[in-house]
Amino acid sequence: MSGTRRRFFQDAAVLGAGFFGLSKSLQAQNEQSMPMHPREAHHGNGAATSAFLPMITPDVADLAHELDGGVKVFHLVAEPVKKKIAPFKTIDAWGYNGSCPGPTIQVQQGDRVRVVFENRLPESTTLHWHGLEIPIEQDGVPYISQKPVAPGEKYVYEFTVHQEGTFFYHAHSAMQEMMGQIGFFVAHLERDYKPRVDHDYGLILQEWAVLPSNSVPNTAAMEYNWLTFNGVCGPMATPLLARLGSRVRLRIVNLGMDHHPIHLHGHQFVVTGTEGGRAPESTWYPMNTVLVGVAQARVVEFEAKYPGAWMIHCHLPHHMMNSMMDLLRDRQIETADQTEAKAMSQMESLARSVPFEHVHPAPVAPDAEKVPGFPQDAFMEMGMDEVVEKPETYGLPKNWSAGMMGMMTMIRVLPEKEYDAILARKKAPSMQMEHRHGS
Ligand SMILES: [Cu+2]
């Protein structure tokens, strides 16, 4: 794309924002005079030097690129990945470059992109560029647009990205998709939209059917017992961070069998984009739950107005839990009737057998087992703060991890000092250790 054409798109975007956008952009300019440095939190290496604000994919790395003339060259390798999705569950997923989901690719609108793809899977595969308007030879559909890439073979994709927005790459084979073969492909504007955001985060929604004592996902299943954001369940998902008063963008994509209503606590957001790019501001209206359907991207933005640790989670009840059945291992479920005392004691012993130190912080009534239906969540809620400790969890209330399960993470809206304290811990991980030993 020529510079003139690119400028036209940017001008159109700013004009399209209208009066509301104008006042917001003035406000954003004022915010810029405040010491806000969200870029310092970014650990990606592919796009960190660009003018646009890179997206952060918590728990997933960015894919670095090299330049060949004007072409950004990426290397992607499809391969099996041992993936720890919860402290007590590691699965045999398939992904890219040792990562599941695959590493995040970030480019700029107008870029020429080359992806040197290598297949180290035991079967043939391709790479599809979901949502991108590219020539048919680059579409990555086996037999239709190309020959399947055989095990051990390489294939080179190359195209110009004339769109902006939230896209993704995935294998174009149903079972491989359900083995985990997806990654972000984000195309940025040269400068951000107005109002500009201070934080930009990406979440990939996936679901897994893995039987107890098994590590291989059942890709033919219709029911799922493990639900992940960026390949990890709560409480392993790394909390998102936002400075109090900042504007946050969340990009959410779904490649699974179910649609996920993603809910944000304590704030209202607007949907500013889909898998097709930016939505006009006239279409924005306040909400706090957005249904992210299969193959869709939903981009939401909000002002982080209220300090606290605010949940972001799928609201389907079965997607808000981890599979306790895994703790059964080689034992059998003796009864499915929860009113039986035997079932209750089994669940309790199950919960106690988790192979690391944890607590069940919520009290139960002395005669709980006399109440039909008990237990429900009593032994599901496991405090394991130390097991999942990292700089981003610093300062959370004791036993916070007992409230996090399944497709669940949080955004911590933090006043200046607390935000900076966590940033300091991210830069010097040893501080985290000192804290643990000192307390
Ligand atoms: Cu869900």
Side-chain angles (χ1 to χ4, degrees):
M1 179 186 293
S2 73
T4 315
R5 194 163 147 76
R6 187 180 295 165
R7 266 194 304 281
F8 165 78
F9 278 122
Q10 284 155 12
D11 291 345
V14 170
L15 287 173
F19 286 115
F20 180 62
L22 186 64
S23 63
K24 285 281 183 178
S25 67
L26 288 173
Q27 185 190 333
Q29 281 166 15
N30 291 338
E31 280 171 3
Q32 278 175 26
S33 62
M34 288 164 61
M36 288 200 181
H37 315 284
R39 281 175 176 83
E40 69 207 346
H42 184 71
H43 289 296
N45 41 15
T49 55
S50 305
F52 57 78
L53 176 70
M55 182 188 79
I56 295 171
T57 319
D59 302 305
V60 173
D62 271 9
L63 187 60
H65 69 265
E66 57 216 32
L67 283 172
D68 178 13
V71 184
K72 286 183 177 167
V73 183
F74 295 88
H75 295 266
L76 263 188
V77 178
E79 59 188 354
V81 176
K82 287 262 181 222
K83 178 69 191 178
K84 191 178 196 176
I85 57 173
F88 49 92
K89 190 68 180 178
T90 298
I91 64 170
D92 283 293
W94 289 3
Y96 301 94
N97 298 36
S99 175
C100 179
T104 293
I105 296 177
Q106 307 205 49
V107 302
Q108 192 173 304
Q109 185 180 32
D111 277 348
R112 183 79 179 166
V113 173
R114 184 183 306 145
V115 178
V116 180
F117 175 58
E118 186 182 343
N119 181 12
R120 288 189 203 153
L121 294 173
E123 61 185 41
S124 299
T125 188
T126 58
L127 269 186
H128 170 61
W129 308 96
H130 190 107
L132 287 173
E133 296 171 352
I134 50 179
I136 183 65
E137 315 83 68
Q138 308 302 324
D139 197 42
V141 179
Y143 311 108
I144 308 295
S145 66
Q146 69 170 92
K147 278 200 304 188
V149 184
E153 275 189 0
K154 285 188 176 178
Y155 192 91
V156 178
Y157 296 90
E158 185 167 327
F159 46 82
T160 301
V161 181
H162 76 86
Q163 296 155 275
E164 69 75 34
T166 307
F167 309 101
F168 46 103
Y169 59 89
H170 63 82
H172 207 278
S173 308
M175 303 306 206
Q176 292 175 1
E177 289 174 21
M178 293 310 292
M179 283 295 279
Q181 300 209 264
I182 177 180
F184 263 117
F185 186 102
V186 172
H188 294 272
L189 286 177
E190 195 173 353
R191 303 276 167 199
D192 205 354
Y193 279 115
K194 300 282 179 28
R196 68 181 283 277
V197 296
D198 307 288
H199 304 276
D200 192 336
Y201 288 108
L203 295 173
I204 291 178
L205 317 182
Q206 287 170 291
E207 50 199 350
W208 313 87
V210 194
L211 289 171
S213 306
N214 278 255
S215 61
V216 178
N218 176 2
T219 56
M222 296 291 284
E223 286 184 356
Y224 301 90
N225 55 348
W226 293 98
L227 288 298
T228 54
F229 275 142
N230 294 340
V232 280
C233 307
M236 249 179 85
T238 300
L240 283 49
L241 304 176
R243 281 181 199 269
L244 182 61
S246 65
R247 187 175 175 86
V248 181
R249 175 180 296 138
L250 267 180
R251 307 174 191 248
I252 311 161
V253 306
N254 177 7
L255 194 69
M257 283 290 296
D258 288 319
H259 312 299
H260 303 285
I262 302 297
H263 177 55
L264 168 70
H265 285 209
H267 293 77
Q268 315 309 318
F269 56 61
V270 287
V271 175
T272 59
T274 70
E275 64 281 353
R278 186 77 163 180
E281 198 165 326
S282 58
T283 67
W284 300 0
Y285 52 88
M287 54 204 295
N288 49 56
T289 306
V290 62
L291 185 63
V292 188
V294 175
Q296 291 185 327
R298 288 293 175 267
V299 182
V300 304
E301 292 179 13
F302 60 96
E303 309 286 343
K305 287 182 192 171
Y306 309 109
W310 301 105
M311 310 284 296
I312 299 170
H313 65 98
C314 175
H315 221 298
L316 288 186
H318 286 194
H319 294 183
M320 299 168 63
M321 53 177 83
N322 290 329
S323 179
M324 290 287 281
M325 288 304 118
D326 262 82
L327 305 170
L328 277 169
R329 295 165 188 242
D330 53 350
R331 282 171 289 162
Q332 287 190 329
I333 304 171
E334 288 170 13
T335 173
D337 183 357
Q338 289 189 331
T339 63
E340 279 185 32
K342 191 164 70 172
M344 193 214 70
S345 68
Q346 188 180 38
M347 254 185 105
E348 186 172 7
S349 64
L350 207 65
R352 302 261 173 233
S353 71
V354 175
F356 49 76
E357 215 170 312
H358 67 284
V359 291
H360 299 280
V364 297
D367 55 351
E369 73 276 11
K370 295 202 180 98
V371 179
F374 177 84
Q376 294 297 330
D377 291 303
F379 306 115
M380 303 275 276
E381 296 169 344
M382 296 190 291
M384 52 178 102
D385 296 2
E386 298 224 331
V387 179
V388 293
E389 187 180 68
K390 56 191 83 165
E392 289 85 349
T393 65
Y394 175 72
L396 284 170
K398 187 172 159 62
N399 291 324
W400 67 270
S401 56
M404 305 284 292
M405 285 164 276
M407 194 177 269
M408 199 175 274
T409 185
M410 60 168 73
I411 183 156
R412 302 187 64 190
V413 179
L414 298 163
E416 202 70 16
K417 263 190 184 168
E418 291 172 41
Y419 186 94
D420 288 339
I422 290 179
L423 274 202
R425 279 180 158 72
K426 281 172 67 106
K427 283 177 186 150
S430 59
M431 289 174 72
Q432 190 80 354
M433 299 301 289
E434 282 165 26
H435 159 71
R436 183 187 295 155
H437 296 151
S439 61

